[in-house]
Amino acid sequence: MAEIYKSTKKFGTRYGRTLKGRFGKIEAEQRKKHICPYCRKESVKRVAVGIWNCKKCDKKFTGRAYTLAIKKKAVVKSEEEQE
Ligand SMILES: [Zn+2]
């Protein structure tokens, strides 16, 4: 039992550190261009919180508030459901 407690504690500390690192990353990510989930070109810019616009194919879509995490399928499900 003692060992389980130890490893859980260690994981908790690591997780907290990861979260903190992520917040700094989000700051940088919302300023750079993102890859469009439709045409795969790097021309997506955030136009408002959670709203993104691709200049290449002129699609507007919603995503995360500050970053586009397009690797997750859930983000792209709004208009077309390919894949
Ligand atoms: Zn596009």
Side-chain angles (χ1 to χ4, degrees), residues 8-70:
T8 308
K9 202 180 166 192
K10 204 188 262 177
F11 179 75
T13 308
R14 215 180 261 170
Y15 185 69
R17 202 180 284 163
T18 309
L19 270 182
K20 260 186 202 170
R22 252 186 216 170
F23 279 123
K25 213 178 167 190
I26 284 169
E27 284 258 330
E29 279 215 12
Q30 62 177 305
R31 288 189 188 98
K32 70 175 187 183
K33 285 180 179 176
H34 292 266
I35 294 163
C36 174
Y38 297 100
C39 65
R40 305 279 167 188
K41 294 264 164 41
E42 207 176 276
S43 51
V44 175
K45 281 187 96 175
R46 194 176 68 104
V47 291
V49 176
I51 299 170
W52 303 78
N53 184 49
C54 174
K55 282 186 176 177
K56 278 276 187 297
C57 60
D58 206 36
K59 285 217 183 202
K60 216 173 245 181
F61 48 91
T62 54
R64 296 261 183 95
Y66 298 108
T67 183
L68 239 195
I70 53 163

